[in-house]
């Protein structure tokens, strides 16, 4: 499976490689979608996923280019290779979408997510929570005598691992941002 | 040129600058300022429909018959929601239309105001794109962009929602400038893949062209190039329901329509070919039948302007993204420069096989007795109208499939039918739109009595605007297509599939001030059709036909192309449990 990169307006030759190499294995892909920053654009993207029955594992969105009116939507999705190709092509069809990048196949990329964990406990458990937070480079952003709120950044697996460790130590609330991702290197 | 004017005036000015001459619409509170401007000009003709669904289908008919985008103007709330079926229909069939809706004033949006609906929310999934315009200064730019988006790339419906205060306010008007849009779909196909396709054409032993609505949408030039390619290679060609007329039905390479009710020879050739060249079609389920048994031995090329059509349903060996006209031009150029080669002997053998399949004569029927067979009615309609400057619309059902089978189309843009959505009620308003585009042509809507009733209020429009549309109703007093499926799939339990309490269509025509003709006798059919053609005004032709006729050939749901049913004798227990969940 090769990269799909939609750049509207390219006329030289197709940017798609659509020679099929289909299998039934479910793959997880991180897509970066650059969209016009206008009302309703997120609804278009989400409506596409719900209307056509695609999965959204995580989704983040924020304006990234104020003068160019562009927002970046990072979507983690899963499906068979054929479904992933369809998702990218369908995203590319949305008029407000400028570019679609499949970070999973376009070369190495970095993924980060921010999460906050509220952990309540006393005695040994409280000490252990603080010690593990240190190992995971999580910061304490709020504390009372009976609770800590940790802030942690990392790839989703690291955050999952931290959540598992905190659970028996009194985890009472979690907030996660979803994944933001960029390709490695200069381009 | 920038000028100051009200938003309402901008709407009219933008339409004029886009070359619009006809708008189909229906007024209401939220579009009154625009209607006031429509009143004060003569450049644009406004056709008052009787229901907003009719306006959208009329605009679709106009667009398909003229190649220009259709334009609709309706009010907020119920006006907008009534347009939804037409928008979905146009989206499925890739028809360029621009729908302008009024909206409650910006300061009332979200307050559940009178006749407020979240129009852009409701229509987001059934438009190619839509806009809510909150500033008058942006209005003209958005309308021009709307035309650009509707007509470029894969065409489709767009909607611009215009709050009433935006219509009243003054702002700056800007004229159209096409380069302003970031939406610039790729037109030219990848040359390397085109060369691979040429090589495949040179070597193919059992090739077939499988063409669709994309050829028509690409414009008359694309149909011309297709004809040149077919004649030069000598390969057989079949088409979807949407693509009829791109290659002439009278051409000797023509196999007829393919698919669920397609011709035996077309479907058999699709199944057995070794090179399938899909040009502007989308492997719809009405075409493919059972996917895993679809044309198992072929290499498949697919030319489409929409990347999402490629590999959506059927895996493609040679995908070419681009406009049909552009790709065919390059394809012909390369093929000619390499010496115009084909595998002549093998292709001749292939035609021999096709001629054997043709001998099955899958459309044969017997007109006997005193009852008109629907096939006979269409055969006579074809014979008596084919030399006219003729446009055909249809409703949805058996009559639609028979029309596709028994009428011949020698040119593109002559055949308007709801393919993707299968919208009963499409044909009558579509015929009104077609007649607006071609005032002197013979415009016939081949209808079923049930479908026709769904938008019969448009008789008022036809009479008011003196549009001589001919409503040719094949009246079987049945929801015939539903009845056929119940016979084949549901143990002949005909649940709610007949038309009770039908109107007297002749009196109905007269009540609207039109002409009605009743015919139920094969002996008088020709005269009655001639009377319909020669009448200068709208006609409802009530053609009483055989009530229990089934439409064949038929590929039952869940079956392959070579498992076609040819007639009544074969229909017992053919659709298994797996097939019966399909539609
Ligand atoms: C709006 C809509 N509702 C329901 C259907 C389902 N449907 C398909 S064909 C058909 C029967 C059409 O009857 P008629 O117009 O008399 O045509 P016939 O099949 O008898 O030729 C129905 C109900 C549809 N296609 N569209
Ligand atoms: Mg009927």
């Amino acid at each position: 499976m090769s990269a799909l990169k939609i750049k509207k307006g390219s006329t030289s030759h197709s940017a798609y490689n659509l020679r099929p190499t289909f299998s039934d294995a479910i793959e997880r892909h991180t897509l970066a979608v650059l969209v016009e920053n206008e009302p309703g654009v997120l609804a278009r993207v989400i409506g596409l996923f719900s209307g056509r029955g695609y999965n959204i594992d995580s989704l983040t969105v924020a304006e990234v280019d104020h003068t160019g009116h562009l927002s970046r939507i990072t979507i983690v999705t899963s499906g068979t290779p054929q479904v992933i190709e369809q998702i990218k092509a369908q995203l590319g069809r949305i008029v407000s979408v400028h570019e679609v990048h499949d970070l999973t196949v376009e070369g190495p990329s970095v993924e980060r997510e921010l999460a906050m964990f509220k952990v309540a406990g006393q005695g040994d458990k409280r000490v252990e929570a603080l010690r593990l937070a240190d190992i995971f480079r999580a910061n304490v952003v709020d504390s009372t005598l009976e609770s800590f709120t940790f802030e942690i950044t990392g790839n989703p697996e690291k955050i999952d691992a931290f959540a598992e460790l905190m659970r028996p130590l009194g985890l009472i609330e979690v907030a996660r941002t979803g994944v933001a991702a960029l390709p490695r290197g200069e381009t | 040129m920038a000028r100051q004017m009200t938003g309402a005036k901008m709407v009219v000015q933008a339409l004029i600058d886009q070359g619009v001459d006809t708008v189909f619409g229906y007024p209401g509170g939220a579009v009154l300022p625009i209607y006031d401007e429509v009143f004060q000009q003569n450049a644009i003709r406004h056709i008052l429909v009787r229901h907003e669904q009719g306006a959208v289908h009329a605009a679709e008919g106009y667009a398909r018959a003229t190649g220009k985008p259709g334009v609709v103007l309706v009010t907020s709330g119920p006006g907008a929601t009534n347009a939804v079926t037409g928008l979905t229909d146009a989206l499925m069939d890739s028809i360029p239309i621009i729908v302008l809706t009024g909206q409650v004033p910006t300061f009332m949006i979200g307050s559940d105001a009178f006749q407020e609906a979240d129009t852009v929310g409701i229509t987001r999934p059934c438009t190619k794109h839509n806009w809510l315009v909150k500033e008058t200064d942006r209005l003209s730019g958005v309308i021009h962009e709307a035309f650009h988006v509707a007509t470029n790339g894969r065409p489709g419906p767009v909607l611009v929602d215009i709050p009433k205060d935006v219509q009243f306010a003054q702002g700056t008007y800007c004229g159209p400038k096409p380069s302003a849009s970031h939406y610039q779909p790729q037109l030219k196909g990848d040359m390397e893949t085109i060369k691979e396709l040429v090589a495949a054409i040179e070597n193919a032993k059992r090739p077939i062209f499988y063409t669709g609505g994309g050829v028509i949408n690409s414009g008359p030039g694309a149909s011309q190039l297709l004809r040149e390619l077919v004649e030069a290679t000598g390969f057989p060609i079949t088409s979807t329901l949407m693509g009829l007329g791109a290659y002439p039905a009278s051409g000797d390479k023509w196999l007829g329509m393919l698919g669920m009710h397609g011709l035996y020879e077309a479907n058999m050739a699709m199944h057995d070919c070794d090179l399938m060249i899909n040009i502007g079609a989308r492997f719809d389920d009405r075409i493919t039948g059972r996917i895993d048994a679809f044309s198992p031995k072929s290499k498949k090329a697919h030319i489409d302007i929409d990347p999402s059509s490629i590999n959506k349903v059927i895996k493609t060996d040679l995908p070419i993204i681009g406009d049909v006209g552009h790709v065919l031009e390059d394809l012909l150029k390369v093929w000619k420069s390499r010496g115009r080669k084909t595998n002549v002997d093998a292709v001749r053998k292939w035609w021999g096989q096709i001629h054997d399949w043709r001998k099955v004569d899958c459309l044969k029927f017997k007109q006997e007795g005193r009852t008109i067979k629907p096939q006979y009615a269409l055969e006579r309609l074809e014979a008596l109208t084919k030399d006219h400057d003729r446009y055909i619309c249809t409703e949805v059902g058996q009559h639609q499939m028979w029309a596709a089978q028994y009428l011949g189309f020698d040119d593109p843009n002559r055949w308007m039918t709801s393919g993707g959505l299968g919208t009963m009620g499409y044909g009558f308003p579509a015929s009104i739109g077609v007649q607006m585009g071609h005032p002197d042509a013979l415009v016939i809507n081949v209808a079923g009595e049930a479908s026709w009733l769904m938008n019969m209020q448009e008789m008022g429009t036809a009479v008011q605007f003196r549009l001589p549309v001919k409503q040719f109703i094949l009246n079987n007093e049945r929801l015939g297509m539903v009845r056929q499926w119940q016979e084949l799939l549901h143990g002949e339990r005909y649940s709610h599939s007949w038309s009770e309490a039908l109107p007297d269509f002749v009196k109905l025509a007269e009540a609207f001030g039109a002409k009605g003709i009743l015919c139920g006798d094969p002996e008088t059919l020709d005269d009655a059709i001639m009377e319909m053609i020669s009448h200068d005004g709208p006609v409802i032709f009530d053609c009483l036909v055989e009530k229990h006729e089934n439409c064949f050939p038929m590929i039952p749901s869940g079956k392959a192309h070579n498992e076609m049913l040819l007639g009544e004798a074969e229909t017992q227990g053919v659709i298994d449990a797996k097939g019966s969940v399909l539609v």
Side-chain angles (χ1 to χ4, degrees), chain A residues 44-93:
Chain A
R44 288 182 206 283
V45 171
I46 292 173
L48 169 69
F49 276 75
S50 65
R52 292 186 185 265
Y54 305 142
N55 298 311
I56 299 181
D57 296 343
S58 125
L59 184 146
T60 63
V61 56
E63 187 180 65
V64 290
D65 176 357
H66 186 69
T67 46
H69 285 285
L70 287 183
S71 289
R72 186 182 180 99
I73 302 178
T74 308
I75 305 170
V76 181
T77 183
S78 50
T80 62
Q82 182 180 17
V83 168
I84 302 279
E85 285 304 311
Q86 260 298 298
I87 291 174
K88 291 186 274 183
Q90 292 289 351
L91 283 167
R93 222 154 80 108

Side-chain angles (χ1 to χ4, degrees), chain A:
Chain A
M1 185 68 47
S2 73
L4 176 137
K5 183 172 166 189
I6 295 169
K7 209 152 163 81
K8 294 222 173 97
S10 60
T11 47
S12 58
H13 75 281
S14 171
Y16 296 78
N17 186 335
L18 293 158
R19 307 291 167 108
T21 50
F22 294 154
S23 80
D24 291 334
I26 301 290
E27 297 177 357
R28 203 176 131 99
H29 284 237
T30 304
L31 309 180
V33 188
L34 283 174
V35 300
E36 198 93 15
N37 184 15
E38 62 186 11
V41 65
L42 189 58
R44 288 182 206 283
V45 171
I46 292 173
L48 169 69
F49 276 75
S50 65
R52 292 186 185 265
Y54 305 142
N55 298 311
I56 299 181
D57 296 343
S58 125
L59 184 146
T60 63
V61 56
E63 187 180 65
V64 290
D65 176 357
H66 186 69
T67 46
H69 285 285
L70 287 183
S71 289
R72 186 182 180 99
I73 302 178
T74 308
I75 305 170
V76 181
T77 183
S78 50
T80 62
Q82 182 180 17
V83 168
I84 302 279
E85 285 304 311
Q86 260 298 298
I87 291 174
K88 291 186 274 183
Q90 292 289 351
L91 283 167
R93 222 154 80 108
I94 298 176
V95 172
S96 342
V97 168
H98 286 236
E99 289 177 38
V100 179
H101 297 274
D102 185 342
L103 299 180
T104 306
V105 298
E106 282 180 22
S109 62
V110 264
E111 294 191 357
R112 287 292 178 272
E113 187 177 359
L114 186 146
M116 293 199 284
F117 292 85
K118 189 174 282 184
V119 182
Q122 291 169 329
D124 286 352
K125 283 190 174 173
R126 186 171 161 83
V127 177
E128 182 63 5
L130 204 54
R131 204 178 63 81
L132 286 168
D134 193 41
I135 294 170
F136 275 75
R137 295 184 217 285
N139 298 320
V140 177
V141 290
D142 184 43
S143 63
T144 68
L145 290 176
E146 277 160 23
S147 72
F148 288 119
T149 299
F150 298 115
E151 169 215 59
I152 179 170
T153 358
N155 62 37
E157 292 73 32
K158 174 181 166 183
I159 292 170
D160 289 343
F162 187 66
E164 280 315 304
L165 291 170
M166 287 301 115
R167 198 150 285 139
L169 301 176
L171 180 63
I172 54 174
E173 211 174 345
V174 185
R176 295 175 71 152
T177 58
V179 171
L182 282 178
R184 287 186 188 272
E186 285 156 44
T187 51

